[in-house]
Amino acid sequence: MAAVVGLLVVLGVLAAALGPAAGSAYAADYRYWSFWKGGADGWSFQQVGPTANVPADGAVDGWRFVLSPDGGQDAPRPSLPADFAATCANTAPSGGHKRVAVVLDFGTAKDAPNGEQPAEAKSLCASVPTGANSAEVLAAVAPPLRYDSGGLLCAIAGYPRAGCGEQVAAGSNSSSASGGSAAKGDGGPAVGVFVGAGAVVLLGAGAVWQARRRRTR
């Protein structure tokens, strides 16, 4: 019985500790450049990074700067259409090169870091060697690019001036100190809390089992 009471006490303390932590784990947005693929049906989220994607001649790459809790399909799409014909109409084909349309959407004022103003969205046509990947395509039309030490794309055409995938409190556009955690897949402190919680529950369950075993002897 003492073990059961002890377990209930542990679970009560644990629930009180986990409540705020669990809430804070999800009450955050991330500011980053999202990567999209244009097609006849509009925009679809790219499943690979720009260095791994090698677009074909006639492809459309899309980039949108967002403030979003989601790192994928549900993030806001580029606001301009994925229109290769219109974008590259004045760029003639050339041997050994391909043409790739690039849409840059710098997001809204709400998405912008403090003190910065997003530029107007625009469509550009890159003429690059046929083997160029999407990172090289982007570098050809929208320098300067900025990457962090882990290879994460932080800025396109110099925007934003600072920061890289930083976490922002939900409903705010002020940065927190835990930059890059969404883009790099870092679960943050809440992960450790949940792991510790699982260990404590297992220990408590073991104590209950031992108590029942003694009573049946």
Side-chain angles (χ1 to χ4, degrees):
M1 184 64 183
V4 175
V5 172
L7 177 59
L8 292 175
V9 171
V10 168
L11 290 177
V13 172
L14 192 57
L18 272 180
S24 63
Y26 294 97
D29 293 334
Y30 295 90
R31 186 179 280 127
Y32 61 96
W33 278 101
S34 58
F35 183 29
W36 301 84
K37 178 180 180 179
D41 296 328
W43 295 107
S44 59
F45 188 74
Q46 274 284 14
Q47 300 299 316
V48 297
T51 58
N53 185 66
V54 180
D57 181 72
V60 184
D61 283 353
W63 295 91
R64 168 74 188 258
F65 192 72
V66 297
L67 181 62
S68 171
D70 177 75
Q73 190 65 37
D74 293 331
R77 290 161 169 71
S79 60
L80 298 181
D83 191 339
F84 172 81
T87 302
C88 291
N90 297 322
T91 304
S94 62
H97 280 64
K98 62 185 176 184
R99 295 174 301 163
V100 179
V102 179
V103 172
L104 301 179
D105 187 332
F106 294 83
T108 67
K110 180 182 177 181
D111 302 328
N114 288 338
E116 297 205 48
Q117 184 68 29
E120 293 292 327
K122 56 187 175 180
S123 298
L124 305 164
C125 186
S127 179
V128 293
T130 54
N133 59 37
S134 289
E136 294 166 326
V137 169
L138 186 61
V141 296
L145 306 182
R146 178 167 55 84
Y147 292 86
D148 74 357
S149 59
L152 177 68
L153 179 62
C154 306
I156 296 174
Y159 182 82
R161 293 188 299 268
C164 196
E166 66 268 20
Q167 184 177 329
V168 181
S172 165
N173 80 338
S174 60
S175 302
S176 80
S178 53
S181 55
K184 295 183 180 180
D186 177 12
V191 172
V193 173
F194 282 113
V195 171
V200 171
V201 170
L202 287 174
L203 288 172
V208 172
W209 179 79
Q210 289 286 358
R212 289 178 176 173
R213 185 181 179 191
R214 283 194 296 270
R215 284 200 301 271
T216 57
R217 285 181 175 177

